[in-house]
Amino acid sequence: MTTTEKKSKFLVVGGGIAGVTCAEQLASQFPSERILLLTAAHLIKAVTNFKQVSKTLEDFDVEEQSSSVLEEKYPNIKVIQSAVKELKAHQHRVLTEDAREFQYEKLCICAGGRPKLIAHDNPYVLGIRDTDSAREFQKRLSQARRITVVGNGGIALELVYEIEGCEVIWAIKDQAIGNTFFDAGAAQFLIPTLEVEKPEKRAPCKRAKYTTEDHEQKGRCSASAGELGSALGPDWHEGMKLHGAQEVSHKVHVEYQCEVQKIYTQEEFLKSQQIPLLFPDPSSNKGKSPTDKEAWPVYVQLTNGKCYGCDFIVSATGVIPNTEPFTKGNSIEEADDSGIKVDDHMRTSVPDVYAAGDVCTASWEPSALWQQMRLWTQARQMGWYAARCMAADTLGEPLELDFCFELFSHITRFFNYKVVLLGKYNAQGLGSEHELLLRCTKGQEYVKAVMRNGRLVGAVLIGETDLEETFENLILNQMDLSAYGEDLLNPNIDIEDYFD
């Protein structure tokens, strides 16, 4: 029997960064209204220590918290742990898996995404999406001598650098590592970091992690089950011992321009007549790779013809928006990437239904210097802006597109380097109408400026360059820099004095 709850003015679905930020902003704007937050996970993700680094760049920590922390901070927020089963948009109702029904005036869908697994229902394939699956990975890694990582995005980049005590075969479909974030030049700058001993750990990361004591009893690993936990935040691996069963520090071998063709169990492999290869030794002479005589639990055959045995496979090939419970039976339009289409007020194609974060696809005409990427910074921005749009529409007030959508900007860390991405940092959509200025100091910094018609339109800054604010200003004001030529990146000229 379905239990119908009291009608809410605002209902937010999703306990990740977008959903929690949206609920917090709504609670601040409407202190006398009850804000309902539905989440499938037993913990929520909250943004803490928010810092506006510059006009568009922002830095913050992500903390996993019990829902009671959020409810204490905002007494008008009620968090309900339950997964959505169905949306009846024309009736303004949401049905949950535990047979409850919630009525709303305005709904914001912040349901995130789930891992694109290269194989479903395979015990040797693990997707890393949330804290539960990250812990399962840590546990399995502790017994592993070799793993295969498939994918070239943020989680794959972090994993291959952090893992110790285990051989790593890294299979990527691109010509260079980190294709999502930087070009082949930046990849070449970073690759040597994989081939040397890791430096001593940095000072403990300030991004605290909260866990629940009864976590082990919950026993649900979302990598193989419903995959409904919210996405990992920045520095998710801090405080986790990512160490395999071997006494080796850092052993990574990259297989470029290939994908997984087939996965064999040990029994299937013996019948296949495939020849498994030993882990490549870069110090040995290039020639025919020796055969691996050892028996492994699982084998991966790559499209380049090579085959390796390993203990398990990590599928880190991106996410698919979690749209199904919401689009089924409703006229909610989806984009080509399967996200829910939203306009410049974060509205879907259905009245009173909004969406934000990984689940949605920005379908307005974007600024010439902005593009959507499913990153935790954009999840926060979209959640915050969606709440402001819901408030403006409720109050009948006009609202312009927020400034954060004017220029793409992101700060992160890869391979122990600070990485800042600005604007069309990979010359996205510029065709041949651009030129690149580069400055590289091995082991210290990599600076790339993307120029078009003498104006700066994008940048990649790796290392402690201190150029982010200056470059952001140059991109935003679109000053003609033709007169400076390559001196723009001359380390002997302090360009901050010119342009700050």
PDB file of all heavy atoms in Angstrom, residues 280-303:
ATOM      1  N   PRO A 280      55.076  -5.830 -19.403  1.00  0.00           N
ATOM      2  CA  PRO A 280      56.229  -5.316 -20.160  1.00  0.00           C
ATOM      3  C   PRO A 280      57.285  -4.680 -19.258  1.00  0.00           C
ATOM      4  O   PRO A 280      56.959  -3.922 -18.335  1.00  0.00           O
ATOM      5  CB  PRO A 280      55.609  -4.270 -21.090  1.00  0.00           C
ATOM      6  CG  PRO A 280      54.177  -4.695 -21.212  1.00  0.00           C
ATOM      7  CD  PRO A 280      53.808  -5.250 -19.868  1.00  0.00           C
ATOM      8  N   ASP A 281      58.536  -5.010 -19.542  1.00  0.00           N
ATOM      9  CA  ASP A 281      59.665  -4.439 -18.811  1.00  0.00           C
ATOM     10  C   ASP A 281      60.320  -3.385 -19.699  1.00  0.00           C
ATOM     11  O   ASP A 281      60.932  -3.718 -20.710  1.00  0.00           O
ATOM     12  CB  ASP A 281      60.672  -5.548 -18.463  1.00  0.00           C
ATOM     13  CG  ASP A 281      61.861  -5.016 -17.690  1.00  0.00           C
ATOM     14  OD1 ASP A 281      61.887  -3.790 -17.423  1.00  0.00           O
ATOM     15  OD2 ASP A 281      62.755  -5.809 -17.357  1.00  0.00           O
ATOM     16  N   PRO A 282      60.191  -2.090 -19.334  1.00  0.00           N
ATOM     17  CA  PRO A 282      60.724  -1.031 -20.201  1.00  0.00           C
ATOM     18  C   PRO A 282      62.243  -1.102 -20.371  1.00  0.00           C
ATOM     19  O   PRO A 282      62.797  -0.575 -21.325  1.00  0.00           O
ATOM     20  CB  PRO A 282      60.311   0.265 -19.483  1.00  0.00           C
ATOM     21  CG  PRO A 282      59.987  -0.135 -18.084  1.00  0.00           C
ATOM     22  CD  PRO A 282      59.551  -1.556 -18.121  1.00  0.00           C
ATOM     23  N   SER A 283      62.947  -1.764 -19.443  1.00  0.00           N
ATOM     24  CA  SER A 283      64.410  -1.823 -19.529  1.00  0.00           C
ATOM     25  C   SER A 283      64.901  -2.903 -20.490  1.00  0.00           C
ATOM     26  O   SER A 283      66.046  -2.916 -20.904  1.00  0.00           O
ATOM     27  CB  SER A 283      65.008  -2.087 -18.143  1.00  0.00           C
ATOM     28  OG  SER A 283      64.549  -3.337 -17.643  1.00  0.00           O
ATOM     29  N   SER A 284      63.989  -3.856 -20.853  1.00  0.00           N
ATOM     30  CA  SER A 284      64.412  -4.924 -21.758  1.00  0.00           C
ATOM     31  C   SER A 284      64.382  -4.434 -23.198  1.00  0.00           C
ATOM     32  O   SER A 284      63.731  -3.453 -23.528  1.00  0.00           O
ATOM     33  CB  SER A 284      63.497  -6.144 -21.612  1.00  0.00           C
ATOM     34  OG  SER A 284      62.202  -5.823 -22.060  1.00  0.00           O
ATOM     35  N   ASN A 285      65.101  -5.131 -24.073  1.00  0.00           N
ATOM     36  CA  ASN A 285      65.139  -4.746 -25.482  1.00  0.00           C
ATOM     37  C   ASN A 285      63.771  -4.888 -26.113  1.00  0.00           C
ATOM     38  O   ASN A 285      63.033  -5.833 -25.822  1.00  0.00           O
ATOM     39  CB  ASN A 285      66.140  -5.628 -26.245  1.00  0.00           C
ATOM     40  CG  ASN A 285      67.558  -5.359 -25.795  1.00  0.00           C
ATOM     41  OD1 ASN A 285      67.892  -4.225 -25.454  1.00  0.00           O
ATOM     42  ND2 ASN A 285      68.385  -6.386 -25.775  1.00  0.00           N
ATOM     43  N   LYS A 286      63.449  -3.963 -26.985  1.00  0.00           N
ATOM     44  CA  LYS A 286      62.169  -4.049 -27.697  1.00  0.00           C
ATOM     45  C   LYS A 286      62.220  -5.266 -28.617  1.00  0.00           C
ATOM     46  O   LYS A 286      63.167  -5.471 -29.347  1.00  0.00           O
ATOM     47  CB  LYS A 286      61.921  -2.789 -28.544  1.00  0.00           C
ATOM     48  CG  LYS A 286      61.798  -1.529 -27.715  1.00  0.00           C
ATOM     49  CD  LYS A 286      60.438  -1.385 -27.104  1.00  0.00           C
ATOM     50  CE  LYS A 286      60.316  -0.078 -26.331  1.00  0.00           C
ATOM     51  NZ  LYS A 286      59.097   0.012 -25.558  1.00  0.00           N
ATOM     52  N   GLY A 287      61.239  -6.039 -28.575  1.00  0.00           N
ATOM     53  CA  GLY A 287      61.196  -7.247 -29.397  1.00  0.00           C
ATOM     54  C   GLY A 287      59.939  -7.990 -29.047  1.00  0.00           C
ATOM     55  O   GLY A 287      58.984  -7.421 -28.534  1.00  0.00           O
ATOM     56  N   LYS A 288      59.943  -9.259 -29.291  1.00  0.00           N
ATOM     57  CA  LYS A 288      58.753 -10.055 -29.010  1.00  0.00           C
ATOM     58  C   LYS A 288      58.545 -10.141 -27.500  1.00  0.00           C
ATOM     59  O   LYS A 288      59.461 -10.457 -26.755  1.00  0.00           O
ATOM     60  CB  LYS A 288      58.916 -11.454 -29.601  1.00  0.00           C
ATOM     61  CG  LYS A 288      57.607 -12.198 -29.680  1.00  0.00           C
ATOM     62  CD  LYS A 288      57.749 -13.508 -30.424  1.00  0.00           C
ATOM     63  CE  LYS A 288      56.403 -14.217 -30.424  1.00  0.00           C
ATOM     64  NZ  LYS A 288      56.499 -15.535 -31.044  1.00  0.00           N
ATOM     65  N   SER A 289      57.327  -9.816 -27.041  1.00  0.00           N
ATOM     66  CA  SER A 289      57.038  -9.869 -25.609  1.00  0.00           C
ATOM     67  C   SER A 289      56.997 -11.315 -25.135  1.00  0.00           C
ATOM     68  O   SER A 289      56.385 -12.165 -25.789  1.00  0.00           O
ATOM     69  CB  SER A 289      55.690  -9.204 -25.321  1.00  0.00           C
ATOM     70  OG  SER A 289      55.716  -7.866 -25.733  1.00  0.00           O
ATOM     71  N   PRO A 290      57.648 -11.608 -23.991  1.00  0.00           N
ATOM     72  CA  PRO A 290      57.632 -12.985 -23.486  1.00  0.00           C
ATOM     73  C   PRO A 290      56.240 -13.395 -23.011  1.00  0.00           C
ATOM     74  O   PRO A 290      55.431 -12.557 -22.609  1.00  0.00           O
ATOM     75  CB  PRO A 290      58.627 -12.954 -22.334  1.00  0.00           C
ATOM     76  CG  PRO A 290      58.760 -11.512 -21.958  1.00  0.00           C
ATOM     77  CD  PRO A 290      58.446 -10.716 -23.172  1.00  0.00           C
ATOM     78  N   THR A 291      55.989 -14.695 -23.061  1.00  0.00           N
ATOM     79  CA  THR A 291      54.685 -15.236 -22.660  1.00  0.00           C
ATOM     80  C   THR A 291      54.595 -15.336 -21.141  1.00  0.00           C
ATOM     81  O   THR A 291      55.566 -15.664 -20.469  1.00  0.00           O
ATOM     82  CB  THR A 291      54.494 -16.638 -23.276  1.00  0.00           C
ATOM     83  OG1 THR A 291      54.660 -16.522 -24.678  1.00  0.00           O
ATOM     84  CG2 THR A 291      53.124 -17.192 -22.977  1.00  0.00           C
ATOM     85  N   ASP A 292      53.411 -15.036 -20.624  1.00  0.00           N
ATOM     86  CA  ASP A 292      53.156 -15.140 -19.187  1.00  0.00           C
ATOM     87  C   ASP A 292      52.706 -16.560 -18.865  1.00  0.00           C
ATOM     88  O   ASP A 292      51.673 -17.018 -19.345  1.00  0.00           O
ATOM     89  CB  ASP A 292      52.055 -14.131 -18.810  1.00  0.00           C
ATOM     90  CG  ASP A 292      51.900 -13.975 -17.301  1.00  0.00           C
ATOM     91  OD1 ASP A 292      52.518 -14.761 -16.561  1.00  0.00           O
ATOM     92  OD2 ASP A 292      51.166 -13.064 -16.875  1.00  0.00           O
ATOM     93  N   LYS A 293      53.492 -17.259 -18.060  1.00  0.00           N
ATOM     94  CA  LYS A 293      53.181 -18.660 -17.723  1.00  0.00           C
ATOM     95  C   LYS A 293      52.240 -18.774 -16.515  1.00  0.00           C
ATOM     96  O   LYS A 293      51.737 -19.835 -16.202  1.00  0.00           O
ATOM     97  CB  LYS A 293      54.466 -19.442 -17.407  1.00  0.00           C
ATOM     98  CG  LYS A 293      55.538 -19.395 -18.502  1.00  0.00           C
ATOM     99  CD  LYS A 293      55.143 -20.200 -19.709  1.00  0.00           C
ATOM    100  CE  LYS A 293      56.275 -20.248 -20.731  1.00  0.00           C
ATOM    101  NZ  LYS A 293      55.820 -20.725 -22.040  1.00  0.00           N
ATOM    102  N   GLU A 294      52.042 -17.651 -15.827  1.00  0.00           N
ATOM    103  CA  GLU A 294      51.252 -17.687 -14.602  1.00  0.00           C
ATOM    104  C   GLU A 294      49.747 -17.756 -14.900  1.00  0.00           C
ATOM    105  O   GLU A 294      49.280 -17.223 -15.906  1.00  0.00           O
ATOM    106  CB  GLU A 294      51.549 -16.429 -13.785  1.00  0.00           C
ATOM    107  CG  GLU A 294      51.082 -16.534 -12.361  1.00  0.00           C
ATOM    108  CD  GLU A 294      51.774 -15.509 -11.471  1.00  0.00           C
ATOM    109  OE1 GLU A 294      52.813 -14.947 -11.871  1.00  0.00           O
ATOM    110  OE2 GLU A 294      51.259 -15.295 -10.376  1.00  0.00           O
ATOM    111  N   ALA A 295      49.012 -18.420 -14.008  1.00  0.00           N
ATOM    112  CA  ALA A 295      47.548 -18.503 -14.163  1.00  0.00           C
ATOM    113  C   ALA A 295      46.902 -17.337 -13.407  1.00  0.00           C
ATOM    114  O   ALA A 295      47.229 -17.080 -12.248  1.00  0.00           O
ATOM    115  CB  ALA A 295      47.036 -19.825 -13.617  1.00  0.00           C
ATOM    116  N   TRP A 296      45.994 -16.623 -14.089  1.00  0.00           N
ATOM    117  CA  TRP A 296      45.309 -15.468 -13.499  1.00  0.00           C
ATOM    118  C   TRP A 296      43.805 -15.722 -13.441  1.00  0.00           C
ATOM    119  O   TRP A 296      43.271 -16.476 -14.256  1.00  0.00           O
ATOM    120  CB  TRP A 296      45.577 -14.212 -14.328  1.00  0.00           C
ATOM    121  CG  TRP A 296      47.015 -13.776 -14.322  1.00  0.00           C
ATOM    122  CD1 TRP A 296      47.984 -14.118 -15.225  1.00  0.00           C
ATOM    123  CD2 TRP A 296      47.657 -12.943 -13.358  1.00  0.00           C
ATOM    124  NE1 TRP A 296      49.174 -13.545 -14.896  1.00  0.00           N
ATOM    125  CE2 TRP A 296      49.010 -12.805 -13.743  1.00  0.00           C
ATOM    126  CE3 TRP A 296      47.223 -12.280 -12.197  1.00  0.00           C
ATOM    127  CZ2 TRP A 296      49.937 -12.049 -13.027  1.00  0.00           C
ATOM    128  CZ3 TRP A 296      48.139 -11.510 -11.488  1.00  0.00           C
ATOM    129  CH2 TRP A 296      49.472 -11.411 -11.898  1.00  0.00           C
ATOM    130  N   PRO A 297      43.107 -15.075 -12.506  1.00  0.00           N
ATOM    131  CA  PRO A 297      41.646 -15.272 -12.399  1.00  0.00           C
ATOM    132  C   PRO A 297      40.884 -14.804 -13.639  1.00  0.00           C
ATOM    133  O   PRO A 297      39.851 -15.350 -13.993  1.00  0.00           O
ATOM    134  CB  PRO A 297      41.249 -14.435 -11.181  1.00  0.00           C
ATOM    135  CG  PRO A 297      42.508 -14.236 -10.404  1.00  0.00           C
ATOM    136  CD  PRO A 297      43.625 -14.232 -11.406  1.00  0.00           C
ATOM    137  N   VAL A 298      41.394 -13.745 -14.306  1.00  0.00           N
ATOM    138  CA  VAL A 298      40.679 -13.180 -15.449  1.00  0.00           C
ATOM    139  C   VAL A 298      41.702 -12.695 -16.477  1.00  0.00           C
ATOM    140  O   VAL A 298      42.823 -12.315 -16.134  1.00  0.00           O
ATOM    141  CB  VAL A 298      39.735 -12.017 -14.993  1.00  0.00           C
ATOM    142  CG1 VAL A 298      40.505 -10.867 -14.403  1.00  0.00           C
ATOM    143  CG2 VAL A 298      38.816 -11.560 -16.107  1.00  0.00           C
ATOM    144  N   TYR A 299      41.302 -12.745 -17.750  1.00  0.00           N
ATOM    145  CA  TYR A 299      42.187 -12.318 -18.841  1.00  0.00           C
ATOM    146  C   TYR A 299      41.468 -11.280 -19.697  1.00  0.00           C
ATOM    147  O   TYR A 299      40.263 -11.394 -19.935  1.00  0.00           O
ATOM    148  CB  TYR A 299      42.594 -13.511 -19.705  1.00  0.00           C
ATOM    149  CG  TYR A 299      43.528 -14.474 -18.996  1.00  0.00           C
ATOM    150  CD1 TYR A 299      43.023 -15.449 -18.136  1.00  0.00           C
ATOM    151  CD2 TYR A 299      44.908 -14.403 -19.186  1.00  0.00           C
ATOM    152  CE1 TYR A 299      43.867 -16.328 -17.469  1.00  0.00           C
ATOM    153  CE2 TYR A 299      45.761 -15.276 -18.527  1.00  0.00           C
ATOM    154  CZ  TYR A 299      45.246 -16.234 -17.674  1.00  0.00           C
ATOM    155  OH  TYR A 299      46.094 -17.091 -17.017  1.00  0.00           O
ATOM    156  N   VAL A 300      42.241 -10.299 -20.166  1.00  0.00           N
ATOM    157  CA  VAL A 300      41.694  -9.231 -20.993  1.00  0.00           C
ATOM    158  C   VAL A 300      42.341  -9.286 -22.370  1.00  0.00           C
ATOM    159  O   VAL A 300      43.564  -9.200 -22.486  1.00  0.00           O
ATOM    160  CB  VAL A 300      41.973  -7.843 -20.360  1.00  0.00           C
ATOM    161  CG1 VAL A 300      41.426  -6.743 -21.251  1.00  0.00           C
ATOM    162  CG2 VAL A 300      41.375  -7.740 -18.982  1.00  0.00           C
ATOM    163  N   GLN A 301      41.518  -9.427 -23.383  1.00  0.00           N
ATOM    164  CA  GLN A 301      42.016  -9.364 -24.759  1.00  0.00           C
ATOM    165  C   GLN A 301      41.706  -7.978 -25.298  1.00  0.00           C
ATOM    166  O   GLN A 301      40.547  -7.546 -25.283  1.00  0.00           O
ATOM    167  CB  GLN A 301      41.361 -10.442 -25.627  1.00  0.00           C
ATOM    168  CG  GLN A 301      41.925 -10.478 -27.040  1.00  0.00           C
ATOM    169  CD  GLN A 301      41.202 -11.490 -27.921  1.00  0.00           C
ATOM    170  OE1 GLN A 301      40.635 -12.458 -27.428  1.00  0.00           O
ATOM    171  NE2 GLN A 301      41.204 -11.250 -29.216  1.00  0.00           N
ATOM    172  N   LEU A 302      42.742  -7.277 -25.763  1.00  0.00           N
ATOM    173  CA  LEU A 302      42.581  -5.912 -26.263  1.00  0.00           C
ATOM    174  C   LEU A 302      42.439  -5.902 -27.782  1.00  0.00           C
ATOM    175  O   LEU A 302      42.854  -6.850 -28.452  1.00  0.00           O
ATOM    176  CB  LEU A 302      43.777  -5.058 -25.834  1.00  0.00           C
ATOM    177  CG  LEU A 302      44.032  -4.983 -24.317  1.00  0.00           C
ATOM    178  CD1 LEU A 302      45.332  -4.247 -24.025  1.00  0.00           C
ATOM    179  CD2 LEU A 302      42.866  -4.323 -23.597  1.00  0.00           C
ATOM    180  N   THR A 303      41.885  -4.823 -28.298  1.00  0.00           N
ATOM    181  CA  THR A 303      41.660  -4.731 -29.749  1.00  0.00           C
ATOM    182  C   THR A 303      42.965  -4.584 -30.530  1.00  0.00           C
ATOM    183  O   THR A 303      42.969  -4.712 -31.754  1.00  0.00           O
ATOM    184  CB  THR A 303      40.733  -3.538 -30.084  1.00  0.00           C
ATOM    185  OG1 THR A 303      41.251  -2.365 -29.434  1.00  0.00           O
ATOM    186  CG2 THR A 303      39.314  -3.783 -29.616  1.00  0.00           C
TER     187      THR A 303
END
